[in-house]
């Protein structure tokens, strides 16, 4: 797991927090549903960044304090999101997405607690699931279940994470990875 437990500075959350997340699978890349232009790098931690206007000039223009800050910040919406329960995941998105996959992510570093989950400084996917998230309302380019499984399997292979039939199984495997970082990740 390498970077999962290591950070250049002393983190607030030393033991990773596991949460649920939706990604768009585009080609073999996992992309955020809302920041799809920034794919998650395979086999690496992702570090949160704030994309809101910050600093003295935006503060003056907006007539409110927007100090420079690292993500996540309690005064902002920035950070890497994860839900505490799969039922709390978003159900809608704009535009057309290729394939949507639910998975389990580890968050660590500076972590803020929210109403339905967390926002973290660092994140890394640990497991994906073939299970379709119920109640999704958005356009998908790939509707065929076999092709959907194909794209999810290709992404899982690229990110070297297991893909399991049910999201609860993915969570159990991710929890074992956190407990035993040097162990096998095979499902």
């Amino acid at each position: 797991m390498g970077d999962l437990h290591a950070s250049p500075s002393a983190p607030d959350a030393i033991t990773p927090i596991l949460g649920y997340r939706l990604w768009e699978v585009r080609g073999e890349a996992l992309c955020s549903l809302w920041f799809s232009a920034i794919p998650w790098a395979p086999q690496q931690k992702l570090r949160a960044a704030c994309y809101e206007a910050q600093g003295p000039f935006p503060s003056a223009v907006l007539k409110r304090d927007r100090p420079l800050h690292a993500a996540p910040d309690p005064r902002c919406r920035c950070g890497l999101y994860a839900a505490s329960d799969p039922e709390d995941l978003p159900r809608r998105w704009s535009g057309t997405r290729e394939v949507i996959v639910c998975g389990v992510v580890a968050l660590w570093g500076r972590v803020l607690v929210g109403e339905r989950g967390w926002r973290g400084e660092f994140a890394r996917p640990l497991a994906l699931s073939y299970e379709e998230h119920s109640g999704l309302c958005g356009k998908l380019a790939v509707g065929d279940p076999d092709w959907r499984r194909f794209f999810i399997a290709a992404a899982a292979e690229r990110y070297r994470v297991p893909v399991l039939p049910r999201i609860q199984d993915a969570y159990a495997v991710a929890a074992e990875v956190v407990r035993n970082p040097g162990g096998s990740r095979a499902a």
Side-chain angles (χ1 to χ4, degrees):
M1 290 303 304
D3 284 335
L4 179 63
H5 294 286
S7 176
S9 62
D12 294 337
I14 295 170
T15 301
I17 294 170
L18 297 181
Y20 300 94
R21 186 177 171 87
L22 293 177
W23 287 278
E24 174 186 13
V25 178
R26 192 176 321 133
E28 295 176 357
L30 294 177
C31 300
S32 168
L33 291 179
W34 289 271
F35 289 102
S36 58
I38 305 170
W40 289 48
Q43 306 163 45
Q44 294 180 25
K45 67 182 175 187
L46 181 63
R47 185 174 194 163
C50 183
Y51 295 102
E52 296 284 330
Q54 307 177 46
F57 181 73
S59 293
V61 170
L62 297 171
K63 295 184 173 47
R64 62 181 182 171
D65 190 27
R66 295 295 305 205
L68 291 171
H69 63 268
D73 188 287
R75 300 164 293 187
C76 191
R77 297 176 304 183
C78 59
L80 298 165
Y81 284 71
S84 57
D85 187 289
E87 294 305 312
D88 289 332
L89 288 167
R91 304 233 186 270
R92 301 176 189 279
W93 59 86
S94 61
T96 301
R97 303 292 184 235
E98 297 279 324
V99 172
I100 302 297
V101 62
C102 186
V104 180
V105 65
L107 297 176
W108 71 97
R110 204 172 27 261
V111 176
L112 301 177
V113 177
E115 231 178 89
R116 296 186 185 117
W118 307 272
R119 290 186 287 145
E121 178 181 10
F122 297 103
R124 185 173 182 170
L126 296 181
L128 302 177
S129 172
Y130 288 123
E131 185 175 353
E132 290 196 48
H133 192 59
S134 63
L136 294 179
C137 298
K139 294 180 185 175
L140 292 171
V142 178
D144 181 75
D146 291 334
W147 277 108
R148 180 180 178 276
R149 287 178 68 89
F150 174 80
F151 283 110
I152 293 170
E157 185 175 323
R158 181 172 186 217
Y159 286 79
R160 293 189 185 158
V161 297
V163 59
L164 296 117
R166 298 178 333 115
I167 191 62
Q168 289 83 5
D169 299 334
Y171 189 92
V173 167
E176 181 57 32
V177 168
V178 168
R179 278 192 301 276
N180 183 15
S184 171
R185 294 182 72 175

